[in-house]
Amino acid sequence: MVAAVSLGLQQLEPAPSIASSSSKLIAPTTSLTRRLLFPHLPPTSPIPPLLHTSSTYPALDAELYDLIALALRAYVNPWWTRITRYDKQLLIELTRILSSVLRALEARLLAADLSPLVYHDLPFLITQHCTDYRTAARKLGSSYAAAGSASLAMLFHGQQRHVGVSTDGKLDEEYVRAAIDIILKTCLSPEDWGAEAERYLIREVIIKTICIDVAPRITQPWFLHSTLLGLLGPPDETLSVSNINSRSPDPPYTSTSLLPSFHTIIVSFLSAVQSISSTALALIQIYKRAVHTFKSVQNSPPTHAPSRPPETTQPPNPPSPDPPFTPHLPSPSESVVASVVGSHDSTPVTPLLPPPPTNGPPQNLARPSLLLLAQLLSLPTRFAGAALLFLCDAFISAFAPFLDRYAHTHTLLSTKRFFFFICYKLTKTLSFTSLLPRFLYTSILTPVQITVFVSAIKHALFPNGYPAQSPPDPMPEEQVVLRAQLVRRLAQVIPGPLAPLLLGSTPVMREHTLSTLVDPFDNQACNAHLFMLIFDLVLLALFPEMAVGATATESGMGVGNFSPSP
């Protein structure tokens, strides 16, 4: 009886509709990007590509779309749904405008040579930051600090005055807003630029992300310490700076130590053979890697060359009475050849070779990083460090004099076209200006690494799909512990044989050197100045027309000419 009643009730239950069943099947598989940014597309149609190079690495498109969807859902959708609940056109238009901006930025990134920015300008900025910080720290409590009343942030701001940063390290939103307006005006079409509502929304979202979410967090000293500790790994608690090179006590002397056993002799012989074979295999591997690297650099095309290298088979034109042409060299050697060859089509060819450039030797991309290392570790203040710095500087600068001698000994060759081709080939095969850009574009600025970086930003800004509340800052005692752990971890990273040369001969000197290495980044207001200078540097690398006095024709020569005051 009970079974019959239950069977009747089951027959009376309405069957699920086709729409409800289909919604249950589609809803879990529909991504946030499709539901929020492309609600007008059918479920089976693919999402339109975001970048011009989307076919190379589609995962980057997916991460960028997720970041855009999360940002619009967090900052635009909450108040827009209160105005109108069913209108989805605003988010679609914002997505279209952001896609246009990202494509324009992609085109500029692919056209720009970022190796001078990474290897030349950025190390110089950090070196200048450390120099100004230590100068301001020495002025504390003296007559240079307004009779001792000026703080470290005020003294540092006096040396690096910037209209976009206040004395206490707060970013000026009006300055960032003006910069974002220039970027949007450059990247958007006139129709999209005329849509003020969408443009204002995009601009304010970017400003809020930079000035409120990102900059105040990453300029905190404890954030930098914890980030470096996360990259280097936790320190070994059993090891400290004072006992880096401490040796275990020698075993007590006994008379039997002079008579090793046969077993000990065999073990020592086999260990020596194993060590020799391991060393030989390591040397062979290093030799093979070096040969492979040199061959790949020699056979690879220029990193950024808008035109092909000049041809040497073209017969030269008759001599011209015009004076020799003196080229203006931008930062990397590849752009030098490209700019000269590009201007060669409209310039008559002369049989005379131009004199050596008057604006200094060719730029050495490895030297600024060496100077930054010397500034961080205070190498010039110690004899061993100064000697090591001199040897490294002589090694990485050995190729520029060779190019100068080559130019002087071939002053009677046929054409300047052949001259620049030979300089291009020599610089490409013998100079660090070919190896370092190749390493940058094949190991760092790759689609995989950029995707990982975008994913890290997405999870940092939206850990649970929404903006997370900022966690409270660590207590002062916890910040001191983080700094001590970073100093201890840096001491463990440096190999033992190099520690006396890089850090000092005594444990006290090594601890002092590592402490002074971390000091320039211990003030939030000073770090905010560095953040804003890097922000300006990146903008000038991608938009050289934003520089004071720059013109539209200088769009390719605005990156490598940055040189801070000594």
Side-chain angles (χ1 to χ4, degrees), residues 95-277:
T95 304
R96 185 182 61 82
I97 294 177
L98 281 175
S99 302
S100 302
V101 173
L102 289 178
R103 292 190 191 98
L105 291 178
E106 179 198 13
R108 287 181 173 264
L109 282 171
L110 294 176
D113 186 7
L114 300 181
S115 54
L117 170 68
V118 175
Y119 293 117
H120 181 268
D121 299 341
L122 188 59
F124 264 129
L125 270 184
I126 302 177
T127 303
Q128 190 67 40
H129 172 83
C130 298
T131 303
D132 292 341
Y133 180 89
R134 289 168 180 171
T135 302
R138 286 194 296 266
K139 292 180 181 180
L140 280 176
S142 64
S143 58
Y144 295 99
S149 60
S151 62
L152 178 63
M154 295 176 61
L155 294 174
F156 187 87
H157 183 74
Q159 294 183 345
Q160 288 192 4
R161 291 187 177 273
H162 196 289
V163 68
V165 189
S166 61
T167 307
D168 55 353
K170 293 183 178 180
L171 271 62
D172 188 2
E173 294 187 4
E174 292 299 327
Y175 179 85
V176 181
R177 184 174 288 108
I180 299 301
D181 270 336
I182 296 176
I183 294 174
L184 293 178
K185 188 174 183 180
T186 306
C187 297
L188 294 177
S189 62
E191 294 78 10
D192 293 336
W193 173 257
E196 295 184 354
E198 291 84 352
R199 174 163 53 89
Y200 289 167
L201 285 175
I202 294 175
R203 185 190 64 187
E204 295 304 319
V205 168
I206 297 175
I207 291 173
K208 197 263 180 185
T209 304
I210 294 176
C211 298
I212 299 178
D213 296 337
V214 176
R217 176 66 56 176
I218 67 175
T219 55
Q220 292 291 338
W222 61 265
F223 182 84
L224 299 177
H225 298 163
S226 61
T227 303
L228 289 177
L229 281 175
L231 295 175
L232 299 176
D236 187 5
E237 299 297 336
T238 61
L239 188 64
S240 61
V241 179
S242 60
N243 58 2
I244 297 175
N245 292 330
S246 60
R247 302 176 59 183
S248 58
D250 297 333
Y253 174 78
T254 58
S255 59
T256 58
S257 60
L258 298 177
L259 299 175
S261 62
F262 180 76
H263 176 73
T264 305
I265 295 175
I266 294 298
V267 170
S268 301
F269 175 76
L270 295 178
S271 300
V273 171
Q274 184 180 5
S275 301
I276 294 174
S277 61

Side-chain angles (χ1 to χ4, degrees), residues 304-308 334-335 338-339:
H304 284 276
S307 60
R308 296 183 304 171
E334 289 84 352
S335 60
S339 61

Side-chain angles (χ1 to χ4, degrees), residues 239-440:
L239 188 64
S240 61
V241 179
S242 60
N243 58 2
I244 297 175
N245 292 330
S246 60
R247 302 176 59 183
S248 58
D250 297 333
Y253 174 78
T254 58
S255 59
T256 58
S257 60
L258 298 177
L259 299 175
S261 62
F262 180 76
H263 176 73
T264 305
I265 295 175
I266 294 298
V267 170
S268 301
F269 175 76
L270 295 178
S271 300
V273 171
Q274 184 180 5
S275 301
I276 294 174
S277 61
S278 301
T279 304
L281 291 176
L283 292 176
I284 293 173
Q285 187 68 20
I286 292 174
Y287 173 76
K288 290 182 178 180
R289 290 294 301 272
V291 171
H292 174 72
T293 302
F294 290 149
K295 287 183 178 180
S296 60
V297 171
Q298 182 178 1
N299 298 328
S300 62
T303 307
H304 284 276
S307 60
R308 296 183 304 171
E311 299 289 340
T312 59
T313 58
Q314 182 181 0
N317 292 337
S320 175
D322 297 335
F325 173 71
T326 304
H328 172 73
L329 296 178
S331 48
S333 60
E334 289 84 352
S335 60
V336 174
V337 178
S339 61
V340 173
V341 174
S343 63
H344 177 73
D345 298 335
S346 60
T347 306
V349 180
T350 60
L352 297 178
L353 291 176
T358 57
N359 58 341
Q363 184 183 10
N364 195 339
L365 297 181
R367 194 168 187 271
S369 300
L370 179 64
L371 296 180
L372 173 61
L373 181 64
Q375 179 68 25
L376 290 175
L377 299 178
S378 305
L379 292 181
T381 60
R382 298 184 300 274
F383 177 78
L388 180 63
L389 177 62
F390 173 77
L391 293 177
C392 295
D393 192 13
F395 176 75
I396 65 174
S397 302
F399 298 99
F402 180 80
L403 293 178
D404 293 341
R405 286 199 306 270
Y406 195 91
H408 286 295
T409 54
H410 290 75
T411 55
L412 298 178
L413 293 180
S414 58
T415 59
K416 68 179 181 180
R417 177 183 281 265
F418 177 70
F419 167 76
F420 284 113
F421 175 70
I422 293 298
C423 288
Y424 162 73
K425 295 297 291 182
L426 283 175
T427 307
K428 183 179 176 183
T429 56
L430 297 175
S431 177
F432 284 105
T433 54
S434 290
L435 181 61
L436 293 179
R438 177 179 174 81
F439 173 77
L440 176 66

Side-chain angles (χ1 to χ4, degrees), residues 29 47 67 79 105 153 155 161 190 253 348 351 368-369 407 433 440 450 458 496 505 511 522 542 561:
T29 59
I47 296 178
L67 183 60
W79 58 266
L105 291 178
L155 294 174
R161 291 187 177 273
Y253 174 78
S369 300
T433 54
L440 176 66
I450 296 176
K458 182 184 70 174
S505 57
E511 187 174 1
D522 281 348
L542 300 180
N561 298 326

Side-chain angles (χ1 to χ4, degrees), residues 38-52:
F38 302 99
H40 57 285
L41 293 179
T44 57
S45 62
I47 296 178
L50 179 60
L51 304 176
H52 296 293

